[in-house]
Amino acid sequence: MESTSVVSANAALFRPVRAGNAFEETVERLLQAIRLGVVGAGDRLPSERELAERLGVSRVTLREAIRALADAGYVESRRGRYGGTFVNENLPEPVERAVGEVDAAGLEDALCLRHVLETGAAEAAAARTLSPADRQHLTGTLAEASAAGLADYRRKDSRLHLAIAEVTASASLTSTVADARTRVNQLLDRIPLLEPNLEHSNAQHEAIVDAILAGDPVAARQAMAEHIEGTASLLRAFLS
């Protein structure tokens, strides 16, 4: 297959919202981009004008959404020549930690969806002829995930998984993987980060990326399946 430009997760997340719940969906999209690491800690969000145009909302609605996230501790606004809205270095603890029991059917639904989407994404990425930019994107996000500490691991891990979807060059797949990953992260936020698991996860990440870069769809799909099943086992153990 011929290589095309990477389908940006940034573009996939900052897509037009529905008019009926413009404020709520704007908050959701911005928070999703932050929690998935698409806009990293300390990074600047796109300008108000650009975001409003891409999300299809008024600048008043956008400002209200940004103000809500600032009040919640996710972003801060800075004035001046180099001002704008920036993601805070230290983000609030996810509120999901305080929530009660998880519905078993909902857990299995989220895990099934993730398995189908992400194994397919890995296979599709490996089947493409990747450009140098595609390859650099994968190796760069892999390196960031491998070097991440406990506090930032979830976002860097999410960013790598989104990068795999991005290099498939499918905007629909990228946005759907982002939505599915958000559901999974809400579940992961309920369980502890275990350092031995993170070491194993990093090794599996490397195997997935190596298979994609080698152009081996079967190996890429299998490596992703093994990785996802490990995470699913932990979620079932802690939440079932």
Side-chain angles (χ1 to χ4, degrees):
M1 300 173 65
E2 293 185 356
S3 176
T4 59
S5 60
V6 169
V7 176
S8 169
N10 186 298
L13 290 176
F14 296 139
R15 61 190 188 276
V17 304
R18 292 171 293 185
N21 297 298
F23 168 75
E24 291 82 2
E25 287 200 24
T26 298
V27 170
E28 179 185 15
R29 295 286 171 76
L30 295 176
L31 191 54
Q32 192 178 37
I34 293 169
R35 285 183 168 171
L36 294 179
V38 174
V39 185
D43 288 349
R44 183 179 182 274
L45 289 172
S47 68
E48 281 189 4
R49 178 178 179 179
E50 181 183 350
L51 273 178
E53 289 178 353
R54 290 168 62 179
L55 293 170
V57 299
S58 70
R59 294 180 73 168
V60 171
T61 296
L62 178 63
R63 286 170 186 159
E64 290 175 344
I66 289 174
R67 188 179 304 115
L69 291 181
D71 291 344
Y74 287 93
V75 300
E76 65 174 357
S77 295
R78 303 175 192 170
R79 298 184 180 277
R81 182 176 180 182
Y82 299 105
T85 301
F86 293 80
V87 176
N88 288 334
E89 292 286 349
N90 298 309
L91 299 180
E93 284 292 314
V95 297
E96 289 83 2
R97 293 192 189 278
V99 177
E101 294 183 2
V102 174
D103 175 68
L107 171 62
E108 292 303 324
D109 181 71
L111 295 178
C112 179
L113 179 63
R114 184 192 186 198
H115 185 277
V116 171
L117 289 174
E118 294 209 41
T119 57
E123 181 178 19
R128 294 187 65 237
T129 301
L130 301 180
S131 69
D134 294 336
R135 301 175 78 87
Q136 184 176 2
H137 188 42
L138 287 176
T139 56
T141 52
L142 173 64
E144 289 183 3
S146 298
L150 288 177
D152 206 33
Y153 188 81
R154 194 80 76 214
R155 280 184 292 162
K156 298 298 185 181
D157 173 42
S158 299
R159 192 66 192 89
L160 172 60
H161 282 264
L162 278 178
I164 292 169
E166 286 175 311
V167 300
T168 67
S170 169
S172 296
L173 179 58
T174 301
S175 62
T176 306
V177 167
D179 290 341
R181 180 68 196 213
T182 296
R183 287 182 64 190
V184 170
N185 278 359
Q186 290 171 350
L187 297 168
L188 288 170
D189 284 337
R190 294 169 173 257
I191 71 174
L193 282 166
L194 308 174
E195 290 199 43
N197 171 251
L198 300 191
E199 294 175 5
H200 186 212
S201 181
N202 285 333
Q204 290 178 323
H205 285 160
E206 185 173 352
I208 294 165
V209 171
D210 284 349
I212 293 172
L213 295 178
D216 190 336
V218 174
R221 186 181 187 93
Q222 181 178 351
M224 180 64 83
E226 290 176 359
H227 175 55
I228 288 175
E229 278 306 309
T231 302
S233 293
L234 284 180
L235 286 169
R236 291 186 181 108
F238 280 100
L239 301 179
S240 296

